[in-house]
Amino acid sequence: MENYTLTILGCGTMGTSMLLSILKSTFKPYPKKFICCTGDKESADALQERFGDKIETSYGESNIDAVKRADVIILGLKPYVCESVLDYVNRGLNGHQLIISLLAGWTIKRLSQYSSCIARVMTNTPAKFGCGMAVVSFSDDALQYEHLVMEMLGTAGKAIKLPEKNMDACTSLVGSGPAFCLLMLQAMAEGAVQMGIPYNVAKECAAKVMEGTAKMVMETGKHPEDLKVEVCTPGGTTIAGLLVMEDRGVRGAISRGVEKAAEVAASLGKK
């Protein structure tokens, strides 16, 4: 696919994050034109002012034409409004456009009523900073576009391909994961505040600790347990703090939280 038009249907948090990461990058084949679809003129004008002549915007009934002109469509809508929006712009769909869906819970089977070429994706908000994660599953007809999709999503950080049966768990782990990490970051910072460290300093320290720890896991390839043991000295501060956290069920609560979020993700795609 060359010289193609990319239409983003729904330019909220995730749709805009993907747009930002693509605009900041170069890959082949690169979109020739970007069309950003919103629900109202105010949102369209705000996008146009922000991105200037890099994009074209549309809203309301003009979204039908924006979809009709698209070779590739990114669905950045909320799951609960997607059906009504897709039904509204249905006249612009030809059944063969490549649809890249960022919708939580919506299966490839359900999306296939709009096109035979579906890439179901779960990504996250760090994508806007180029350090996001994207997990992708493809319909059979969409596999011909696998290179394009992986290159495009790779601009957000890292993209991997997994079977669709794993997608609800990835919605929780990848999509909701930043919020889980932020809860832990906030808790660490507040513990430091309780011990007298100013909040801004505590927040910066906690954020850097999480960033460095993640990098350590990625670059060494070691199991987190092995790296954790390296920090624990006999009778030291780290093991003392870890035992309190284990006594309070922190590990289990996080794991069950991921499990519960995946269950909710599965329910979002059901009518």
Side-chain angles (χ1 to χ4, degrees), residues 148-182:
L148 184 154
V149 172
M150 300 305 281
E151 287 291 309
M152 184 181 294
L153 295 173
T155 65
K158 184 177 177 65
I160 62 170
K161 178 183 173 183
L162 280 179
E164 190 181 20
K165 66 181 182 180
N166 300 128
M167 196 55 73
D168 291 327
C170 289
T171 299
S172 173
L173 178 62
V174 174
S176 302
F180 303 155
C181 289
L182 288 166

Side-chain angles (χ1 to χ4, degrees), residues 42-64:
E42 183 179 358
S43 298
D45 288 346
L47 278 172
Q48 197 72 69
E49 182 177 355
R50 181 178 181 183
F51 295 105
D53 60 5
K54 294 178 181 178
I55 67 166
E56 181 181 323
T57 60
S58 73
Y59 64 94
E61 192 170 342
S62 64
N63 286 340
I64 298 172

Side-chain angles (χ1 to χ4, degrees), residues 37 140 163 178 270:
C37 301
D140 290 341
K270 298 177 181 177

Side-chain angles (χ1 to χ4, degrees), residues 29 72 77 129 168 178 237 243:
V72 180
L77 301 158
F129 304 104
D168 291 327
T237 60
L243 287 175

